[in-house]
Amino acid sequence: MSGFLKLLFRNRLAAMGALVLMIILALILIAPLLPLQDPDVTATADRFKRPFADGHLLGTDHLGRDLLSRLLWGTRLSLAVGIAAALIAAAIGSAIGITAGYFGGRTDNIIMRGVDMLMAFPYILLALAIVAALGPGLMNALIAVAAVNVPFFARNIRGVTVGLAGREFIDAARLAGKGHMRIILTELLPNVLPVIIIAMSTTVGWMILETAGLSFLGLGSQPPQADLGSMLGEARSALISHPHTSIVPGIMIFLIVMSINLLGDGVRDALDPRLRSGALSRPRATTLVERTGDIPARTDDLLAIQDLHTEFHVGSRIYRAVGGVSLAVKPGECLGVIGESGSGKSVTALSVMGLVASPPGVITGGAVRFQGEDLIGAPYETLRRKRGDRVAYIFQDPLSTLHPLYTVGQQLAEAIQSHHKTSNTEARAHAIQLLSDVRIPNAAARADNYPHELSGGMRQRVGIAMALANEPDVIIADEPTTALDVTVQAQILSLLDDLRRDRGLAIIFITHDFGVVAQLCDRVAVMYAGRIVEEGQTQAVLDAPAHPYTRRLIACVPELGGGRRELAAIPGLPPLVDDLPPGCAFAPRCDKAQATCRTGEIALAGTAPRAVRCLYPEVTV
Ligand code: SF4
């Protein structure tokens, strides 16, 4: 809760809205204790007194009633009715939306057509018709305002529920034997609740206005009872001669609606996990660069990552995801990058083309040189021209990287046409050729399939085809075969191997799998806690690992036909990169750790191309 409040009040506008609303709420709550005059007592001799007149801070109305007193009591009523209407509309609308979305089919059709019919009426006419049928009065205005807003909640919540109802966790709940009501209450409701709260926070101000509108027309609160709408309605005839009688309730309505809307926006941001870090509120086309220190000199490598530092700044916390990584590849070379989840492999790869989301990502040091040109901090257009053309990516999860509404053929053609002037026919022919290159059977027909119509392995091959579309110089493959079965994995690895031999393609292959590294990579770099702890020729590292972490990683790999042996899991967990221990980050898990390992910087040392970051390596390098 304190985290939510901290996030909420980081948004200055939301904090201002909350402050104004709290002041208004405090005033109306203590209204019975304040020395106010009776809001309904008339004194015709005191009609239309101006603000700051004797005993009347905000003046009086056409019947001599004290405006301050009527304002505070009227605000109490308006807020109570608006909030009650929002709660009722949210409860009924959400129940309808969840039911329709969860059951789907005919239930959904019948319910939503009824909702559509209600939405087809202009809502204010509908509210007037309801009040006309029930009779004027504040309670009936509340019912009318709640009723006309039910379809809004039903539509919104139904949309969210439809997206959730087909997800695996709902299937798992069904398989566990849960009934419909339990699934709705324990699985769906907690997931849609933030949406309900957000919708409520942004509509409550609107409902206060609608209630005030009905009272303004004489259909809400009845004389002498005051609410903000009826105060405005009564002041209508004196708008020109005594404007303060309209301005006082008008300003109060403005303050309430503005403060609720600002607070509502803040609540929405604070509840949205993607907005918490500012990722959606201030999107940047490339990763933010705030480099300090010297920029490393150029080398003759095709792609060189030099002393790269990438951090995530979330509030006051700094996550050092990549802490001084240097890697390089030459044409036709394949470099494997291996390490546990969270070791910084993917962030290193994404930093190359400025693809780390900013905020919260910030590149704070080093350089990434492609053919000698430093890409860190390069203009967006420079990076855009190289992304997918000279440096291509194969991402881990093809379902989230392929667009669900376009066929794979269209997406491949788009990847080609974004970098080369090609006719649609040529682009399609090229797309089909690429699909056939990655060994998708019946490529011409498959080009017209949508991503959801393909199996996981096929989607991954489409991702690879897309990376190959423009014959790049470098491919960065981020665990591209993790989701594939071993036969497809072998085909893909052999395809990549052929490409690098035939076309001189350089590959940076990120993986957890030493088997894949052994099969494909010339060299390997082992990462731990955002740094390289060992690197060298693949065979040399596999034959004689120098870093205790590498040795233990290799020991975790089961060997086919190697007989029974205990698989030595590495105890403990990788350290949090916002709180790295001094000295060697692996020390808490290392069976060779000594006191000297826990102090000072440990440098990467050895004879090129072999290097290790350890004071007591397993072998001398
Ligand atoms: S420096 Fe020390 S703690 Fe770190 S890996 Fe080497 S022996 Fe283990």
Side-chain angles (χ1 to χ4, degrees), residues 47-389:
R47 294 175 76 229
F48 292 128
K49 283 215 162 165
R50 302 227 169 256
F52 304 110
D54 270 355
H56 302 287
L57 193 60
L58 297 179
T60 59
D61 67 3
H62 63 298
L63 294 175
R65 295 173 294 195
D66 183 57
L67 271 179
L68 176 61
S69 172
R70 283 182 74 72
L71 182 77
L72 292 185
W73 285 99
T75 304
R76 250 171 108 101
L77 211 57
S78 287
L79 268 178
V81 172
I83 292 169
L87 285 172
I88 293 169
I92 298 174
S94 303
I96 292 173
I98 290 180
T99 309
Y102 174 71
F103 288 103
R106 190 175 295 170
T107 313
D108 182 28
N109 246 328
I110 293 171
I111 292 177
M112 293 322 291
R113 294 307 73 79
V115 167
D116 288 345
M117 280 198 285
L118 278 177
M119 286 188 108
F121 283 100
Y123 74 90
I124 196 73
L125 273 188
L126 188 61
L128 288 173
I130 294 170
V131 179
L134 299 176
L138 206 52
M139 188 51 74
N140 293 341
L142 185 156
I143 293 170
V145 170
V148 297
N149 282 287
V150 164
F152 165 78
F153 281 95
R155 266 245 157 263
N156 264 340
I157 303 305
R158 183 249 176 208
V160 178
T161 310
V162 166
L164 291 169
R167 298 271 293 273
E168 291 79 0
F169 71 95
I170 299 291
D171 290 340
R174 283 200 189 102
L175 284 173
K178 285 189 179 179
H180 293 315
M181 189 51 85
R182 257 186 89 194
I183 292 176
I184 287 175
L185 292 179
T186 61
E187 307 289 336
L188 278 175
L189 190 59
N191 279 290
V192 295
L193 203 55
V195 184
I196 299 174
I197 293 171
I198 289 163
M200 258 184 66
S201 66
T202 47
T203 51
V204 69
W206 183 238
M207 295 202 205
I208 290 169
L209 278 183
E210 286 171 355
T211 318
L214 288 176
S215 293
F216 179 82
L217 296 172
L219 300 170
S221 78
Q222 298 300 304
Q225 192 180 42
D227 81 343
L228 294 173
S230 64
M231 285 177 75
L232 268 182
E234 287 165 359
R236 204 170 12 174
S237 53
L239 183 63
I240 305 298
S241 57
H242 301 92
H244 70 279
T245 52
S246 307
I247 289 171
V248 166
I251 288 179
M252 182 56 95
I253 290 174
F254 172 79
L255 287 177
I256 290 173
V257 174
M258 278 302 290
S259 58
I260 287 177
N261 284 350
L262 290 175
L263 184 60
D265 283 349
V267 168
R268 184 197 61 202
D269 290 1
L271 282 175
D272 189 328
R274 293 164 305 169
L275 287 162
R276 279 180 204 170
S277 60
L280 293 184
S281 56
R282 288 164 284 134
R284 294 178 61 94
T286 61
T287 309
L288 178 67
V289 176
E290 286 176 359
R291 274 194 290 198
T292 51
D294 297 337
I295 297 171
R298 63 178 294 167
T299 62
D300 60 357
D301 296 299
L302 176 61
L303 179 75
I305 299 169
Q306 300 171 297
D307 195 24
L308 179 73
H309 288 74
T310 305
E311 300 175 348
F312 292 102
H313 294 182
V314 180
S316 58
R317 308 198 83 135
I318 296 178
Y319 296 82
R320 294 185 174 83
V322 179
V325 166
S326 297
L327 296 169
V329 278
K330 295 195 184 310
E333 192 180 25
C334 180
L335 169 71
V337 182
I338 198 161
E340 287 169 283
S341 293
S343 58
K345 309 181 298 292
S346 299
V347 179
T348 304
L350 291 172
S351 303
V352 169
M353 280 286 139
L355 289 170
V356 176
S358 267
V362 186
I363 293 177
T364 54
V368 171
R369 294 186 183 277
F370 176 71
Q371 294 174 332
E373 180 189 2
D374 187 10
L375 300 179
I376 300 290
Y380 168 71
E381 196 44 43
T382 308
L383 289 175
R384 194 199 69 76
R385 278 202 303 271
K386 289 193 166 56
R387 286 175 183 172
D389 187 33

Side-chain angles (χ1 to χ4, degrees), residues 547-548 584 586-587 590 592-593 597 602 614-616:
H547 197 282
C584 174
F586 188 60
C590 182
K592 296 181 76 184
C597 301
I602 299 170
C614 177
L615 294 180
Y616 308 101

Side-chain angles (χ1 to χ4, degrees), residues 430-442:
H430 190 173
I432 292 171
Q433 183 57 48
L434 284 165
L435 289 177
S436 136
D437 285 350
V438 292
R439 295 170 196 158
I440 288 189
N442 198 4

